[in-house]
């Protein structure tokens, strides 16, 4: 495992933990002292992703991670927490045993988790995935999130 900072191949594992579907390792570069994290994943079959226009593409973790990261920009959410969220969605999708999955279903699975994590990130993500037709639809969603003690999850419930 090469150090992302200096490129040296000499690193040692200082911590190892089980994450969802993966083993997370903290490594220390013997050359420059840089600490970095690696994930070891079990290769599992993922369903094909069916896009809105009906075309299909391979499951793309990086793309999903990027989408969540953008939604979480400048929010108090750690990279590790974002990775964890994507891990959970991936595990759920892989565990569904389905051959195909809609992008909207993936979006909703992410939203369900983001909702509990950060309202702003949730609204940002939702505005992309739900493709609000107009500003009213967007505001309704904002109001729904802000309403205390009434989880809107029932409307987002999905059987993945
Ligand atoms: Zn290094």
């Amino acid at each position: 495992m090469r150090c992302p900072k200096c490129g040296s191949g000499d690193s040692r594992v200082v911590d190892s933990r089980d994450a969802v579907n993966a083993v997370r390792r903290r490594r220390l570069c013997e050359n420059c002292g840089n600490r970095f994290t690696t994930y070891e994943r079990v290769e599992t079959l993922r369903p094909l992703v069916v896009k809105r226009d009906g075309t299909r593409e391979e499951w793309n973790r990086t793309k999903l991670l990027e989408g969540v990261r953008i939604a979480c920009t400048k929010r108090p959410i750690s990279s590790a927490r974002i990775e964890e969220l994507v891990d959970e969605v991936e595990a759920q999708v892989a565990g569904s045993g389905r051959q195909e999955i809609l992008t909207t279903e993936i979006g909703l699975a992410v939203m369900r988790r983001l909702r509990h994590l950060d309202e702003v990130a949730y609204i940002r993500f939702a505005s992309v995935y739900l493709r609000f037709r107009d500003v009213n639809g967007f505001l309704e969603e904002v109001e729904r999130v802000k309403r205390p003690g009434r989880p809107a999850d029932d409307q987002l419930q999905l059987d993945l």
Side-chain angles (χ1 to χ4, degrees), residues 2-8 10 28-34 36:
R2 301 223 162 262
C3 167
K5 200 172 168 190
C6 73
S8 162
D10 296 324
L28 176 68
C29 174
E30 302 277 20
N31 183 49
C32 74
N34 180 37
F36 57 104

